[in-house]
Amino acid sequence: MSDLFARHRAVMPNWLALYYNEPIEIVGGKGNRVVDASGKSYLDFFAGILTNMIGYDVPEVREAVERQLATGVVHTSTVYLLRGQVELAEKIARLSGIENAKVFFTNSGTEANETALLLATYARRSDQVLAMRQSYHGRSFGAISVTSNRSWKNNSLSPLNVHFLHGADRHLTQFRGLSDADYIAACVDDLRHVLATSVGGDVAALIAEPIQGVGGFSMAPDGLFAAYKEVLDAEGVLFISDEVQTGWGRTGSAFFGIQNHGVTPDMMTFAKGLGNGFAVGGVVARGDLMDGPHAAGLATFGGNPISMAAANATLDYVLDHDLQANAARTGALIIDGLRHAAPRLPIVGDVRGKGLMFAVELVDPATGAPSPAIAARFMEETKKAGLLAGKGGLYGNVLRMAPPLTLTQDEAAEGLGIIVNALETVNAEVTS
Ligand SMILES: Cc1ncc(COP(=O)(O)O)c(C=O)c1O
């Protein structure tokens, strides 16, 4: 055990998960690669959990932050005008497609979701919320209460009255083998049944991730959320799309993940990639919903000048370089390659993804049961070969990968090669 690992164990919480038998310390980064303390280089296919969205040491972001630092002002608070906030809010409001959109900036995704839930429960005068099974929305009481993954829930304490819906769980016996259309119909039936049987009075909102991040990139078939929204609209129930992982073109086929469903939500929450590593989150919502609450509110550090400089530079970079198109191109290369390899690898239970957000589900080839042990072996194997991947899924058996949107075709091919080699090595071990 390295000295730093031992010191980490002594003073950091046990529940703060670390990857790898011998966790690494990342000390440098450039482009889409990082270097650890031993000098080993890695192609980064996890990007600080989808946060280093345009890679490392990006001159445009560094220079924007340095310009702000040079003013001497790191923080002023929102009781003064903040040019960076207004500029970024204007861009996000325009990109959101939400009517008369307004934006509130926070420091994290958790806080963004808390804000959206507050706006919805306030507007609807209801504490009842719908969320999706297998979801993850953050670590505060409100966010945990709409989270549906036992590994991330320490208790059932909840400020909200929550009911969980189907939609990203077609592996369940009752849905297996259904076409997209039949699965959507079954889920909509269930939503109507929940509204008829499980709630009392008005429901405030549905909150959903278009692609479930911690849930192992499980996703509803395109169109499910449009079908849900039709039912919800009939009762005035609001729809919050949690875009913390899926925003800014990552899915390739849409700028915000929910647009893959052909639907515009009432609110979207965001965080992670927007600041390319600088802490920024927020909510973009219909103006009437955002303006609704009568009490004053602020987030002291939310949208501070440094994070706004980084976020404006990052978002401009994504748009100027059309990184959504790059995500579509490079993501397709990798996903197609993985799908091509899967039939000869019995440890692979499923390959799924959209753009630069893709996952491989690992199973015991003898039983088809989820295998976190095989996933852990894959992690060690890719680490050895110089690629960083992530893990997730309800059973910890899903490899999830989401490289920076700046990934080149060569890097995509290189990463695909490493992933397939690692899968072959582990597959040979398991099946021999
Ligand atoms: C979809 C989603 N929502 C919310 C959050 C919480 O964000 P944060 O960790 O910034 O509070 C996460 C974090 O992983 C997430 O994946």
Side-chain angles (χ1 to χ4, degrees):
M1 192 187 282
S2 73
D3 176 51
L4 186 60
F5 186 17
R7 287 165 57 199
H8 175 105
R9 279 274 182 263
V11 294
M12 311 292 285
N14 284 342
W15 43 260
L16 197 57
L18 280 169
Y19 280 164
Y20 307 118
N21 294 335
E22 281 295 327
I24 59 171
E25 179 193 7
I26 294 173
V27 296
K30 187 145 201 74
N32 300 319
R33 289 176 205 268
V34 294
V35 178
D36 75 9
S38 75
K40 186 172 168 60
S41 170
Y42 303 86
L43 186 56
D44 191 355
F45 266 35
F46 204 36
I49 321 183
L50 295 83
T51 296
N52 301 310
M53 180 166 70
I54 58 173
Y56 296 83
D57 198 21
V58 182
E60 287 83 345
V61 178
R62 181 164 25 81
E63 285 158 16
V65 169
E66 283 172 354
R67 270 197 304 277
Q68 183 59 43
L69 279 173
T71 66
V73 175
V74 171
H75 174 77
T76 67
S77 95
T78 46
V79 297
Y80 307 105
L81 290 172
L82 283 159
R83 187 171 299 274
Q85 282 204 2
V86 174
E87 287 173 358
L88 187 60
E90 285 169 350
K91 290 175 208 169
I92 293 172
R94 175 176 57 77
L95 290 162
S96 73
I98 295 173
E99 209 179 318
N100 303 319
K102 286 195 166 188
V103 181
F104 177 72
F105 291 108
T106 65
N107 305 283
S108 69
T110 296
E111 240 188 291
N113 284 330
E114 286 290 333
T115 307
L117 291 166
L118 173 82
L119 297 179
T121 52
Y122 188 93
R124 298 278 296 155
R125 301 291 194 272
S126 166
D127 66 350
Q128 299 188 96
V129 172
L130 306 171
M132 304 296 289
R133 291 192 186 192
Q134 302 177 181
S135 61
Y136 179 83
H137 294 289
R139 55 173 297 279
S140 59
F141 279 111
I144 289 177
S145 75
V146 288
T147 288
S148 167
N149 182 330
R150 198 165 168 181
S151 307
W152 293 88
K153 267 172 117 84
N154 281 304
N155 54 48
S156 62
L157 297 176
S158 172
L160 301 166
N161 204 325
V162 185
H163 299 282
F164 292 98
L165 304 182
H166 296 291
D169 52 6
R170 61 197 300 180
H171 58 282
L172 296 179
T173 316
Q174 67 266 40
F175 301 128
R176 224 171 272 161
L178 293 185
S179 67
D180 284 0
D182 287 346
Y183 177 59
I184 290 174
C187 290
V188 170
D189 255 7
D190 184 71
L191 167 61
R192 288 189 201 282
H193 198 247
V194 166
L195 291 174
T197 59
S198 309
V199 306
D202 290 339
V203 173
L206 164 64
I207 182 165
E209 301 155 272
I211 299 178
Q212 297 182 326
V214 173
F217 296 176
S218 309
M219 66 187 102
D222 288 350
L224 177 122
F225 288 114
Y228 270 2
K229 187 141 193 326
E230 218 179 294
V231 176
L232 300 176
D233 280 349
E235 298 205 10
V237 181
L238 301 169
F239 181 33
I240 305 164
S241 181
D242 178 338
E243 298 280 347
V244 167
Q245 297 214 5
T246 48
W248 323 115
R250 177 161 292 281
T251 65
S253 41
F255 196 71
F256 289 105
I258 199 62
Q259 293 164 346
N260 286 301
H261 290 259
V263 68
T264 304
D266 300 290
M267 301 183 218
M268 290 192 282
T269 57
F270 54 85
K272 290 203 189 288
L274 181 61
N276 204 42
F278 287 85
V280 54
V283 185
V284 52
R286 258 174 38 205
D288 60 311
L289 298 172
M290 187 66 89
D291 286 336
H294 66 273
L298 60 78
T300 296
F301 291 117
N304 75 67
I306 297 289
S307 68
M308 292 296 98
N312 271 302
T314 303
L315 185 53
D316 290 349
Y317 192 100
V318 167
L319 297 170
D320 293 348
H321 294 78
D322 196 4
L323 294 188
Q324 180 185 330
N326 189 56
R329 245 186 337 261
T330 50
L333 193 151
I334 296 169
I335 294 167
D336 290 352
L338 292 172
R339 291 211 168 113
H340 182 72
R344 60 188 158 83
L345 298 166
I347 59 167
V348 173
D350 190 27
V351 171
R352 53 180 174 259
K354 265 193 194 333
L356 284 176
M357 199 169 176
F358 44 88
V360 179
E361 187 152 346
L362 293 176
V363 296
D364 179 334
T367 61
S371 179
I374 295 178
R377 269 293 297 124
F378 172 93
M379 292 292 283
E380 295 299 333
E381 210 48 42
T382 45
K383 177 192 172 199
K384 210 168 23 168
L387 180 131
L388 299 184
K391 251 190 332 178
L394 208 47
Y395 309 105
N397 67 316
V398 180
L399 308 165
R400 52 184 179 126
M401 290 161 277
L405 304 182
T406 42
L407 196 74
T408 64
Q409 298 259 358
D410 284 351
E411 289 167 336
E414 179 188 341
L416 173 64
I418 295 174
I419 298 165
V420 172
N421 273 342
L423 288 171
E424 278 168 349
T425 302
V426 179
N427 190 70
E429 270 173 28
V430 172
T431 54
S432 69

